[in-house]
Amino acid sequence: MHAIPLTTPPLAPKTRQALLELGIADTADLQRITPATAFLLLKASGLTVTESTLWQLVLLAEGREGYLNEAEQAKWRAKLRAHRPVARFPPREESERWMRQALQLAVQALDAGEVPVGAVMVHRGEIIGRGANACVAEHSVCHHAEIAALTEAGRRLGNYRLDGCDLYVTLEPCSMCAGAIMQSRIRRLIYAAAEPKTGAAGSVLDLFANKQLNPHTAVQGGVLAEESAQLLQRFFQERRQG
């Protein structure tokens, strides 16, 4: 199916403009991101939308005209209920800028003989929490970079609830850190490299998509992933050699 630009009609002008601002300009974009995700992003951006907008997005993505029958509507309602949290993420340049701060902390961990993972917590354009892995130094499996960043940020804000904050971490969180992140109600988690052995944001399991856990955090991976992976490779190579 050829990509067809999104137009008004059938979409309302404000809906079309909001989709363009989200980077969804044609039916190919809509198919890639899925109608359910696009609909939830519209809501997250502050636009007032009803189910009829979702039905329009579905029809556009599927290249159809007309309407959805009751069974189809029920299917898409179920997809919305099961959908993981969504959010508009910062521009790539901004995300990379914060991630480089986390990578500097990962280098410090590497120099100290720790698994090289770093994390920074950002609130209103300012770093309010920093952390680097320190399990060896502290003789505790709890001293992961994410936990340190969460702890410092909580002390800065005077609250363990960190809604409105973004956490940048150089490696996909494990289940322990993912649980702490969700308990903190962090708005957005941005990580660099995936962790195929213990990752709890989609690699091994996805706690952030488990509705039984009442998730609130939207997740984005792959920001400066190669730089993070190189640090990890260096660490494990040195361990094998030494």
Side-chain angles (χ1 to χ4, degrees), residues 2-214:
H2 295 293
I4 301 172
L6 301 180
T7 60
T8 300
L11 297 171
K14 289 184 178 180
T15 300
R16 177 178 176 272
Q17 182 59 37
L19 288 169
L20 291 175
E21 292 174 0
L22 290 166
I24 306 170
D26 55 36
T27 53
D29 293 332
L30 192 54
Q31 292 161 5
R32 172 181 52 81
I33 201 169
T34 78
T37 302
F39 179 76
L40 291 173
L41 283 171
L42 288 172
K43 294 184 70 174
S45 68
L47 191 68
T48 301
V49 289
T50 63
E51 280 188 339
S52 62
T53 301
L54 175 60
W55 311 151
Q56 289 175 339
L57 294 173
V58 172
L59 292 171
L60 286 168
E62 296 181 352
R64 296 167 49 192
E65 296 182 357
Y67 62 92
L68 301 185
N69 61 40
E70 291 185 3
E72 290 173 321
Q73 291 181 8
K75 181 188 74 172
W76 283 98
R77 289 191 186 103
K79 287 187 177 183
L80 287 184
R81 289 193 298 270
H83 205 289
R84 66 189 299 170
V86 303
R88 290 189 67 174
F89 284 90
R92 197 73 175 186
E93 290 180 1
E94 181 181 339
S95 292
E96 290 183 355
R97 176 163 57 90
W98 296 123
M99 190 63 76
R100 291 193 192 283
Q101 298 291 316
L103 284 166
Q104 290 180 11
L105 292 163
V107 171
Q108 293 178 22
L110 177 67
D111 293 341
E114 305 276 357
V115 177
V117 180
V120 296
M121 189 76 70
V122 177
H123 178 65
R124 296 180 180 175
E126 177 189 2
I127 293 178
I128 62 168
R130 293 175 171 84
N133 268 11
C135 296
V136 176
E138 298 294 337
H139 313 293
S140 171
V141 297
C142 297
H143 282 265
H144 284 197
E146 299 95 312
I147 302 298
L150 285 168
T151 301
E152 183 180 347
R155 288 171 178 163
R156 284 279 301 274
L157 295 180
N159 195 337
Y160 74 92
R161 288 283 180 89
L162 301 173
D163 49 314
C165 294
D166 297 335
L167 180 64
Y168 291 81
V169 59
T170 60
L171 186 65
E172 179 184 356
C174 66
S175 57
M176 176 184 73
C177 294
I181 290 166
M182 288 194 295
Q183 290 289 333
S184 299
R185 301 286 182 96
I186 290 169
R187 175 179 56 172
R188 298 179 296 199
L189 164 68
I190 299 97
Y191 69 86
E195 172 47 278
K197 294 183 179 180
T198 62
S203 290
V204 177
L205 69 163
D206 192 351
L207 293 181
F208 298 96
N210 189 326
K211 290 297 183 177
Q212 292 178 303
L213 299 176
N214 190 27

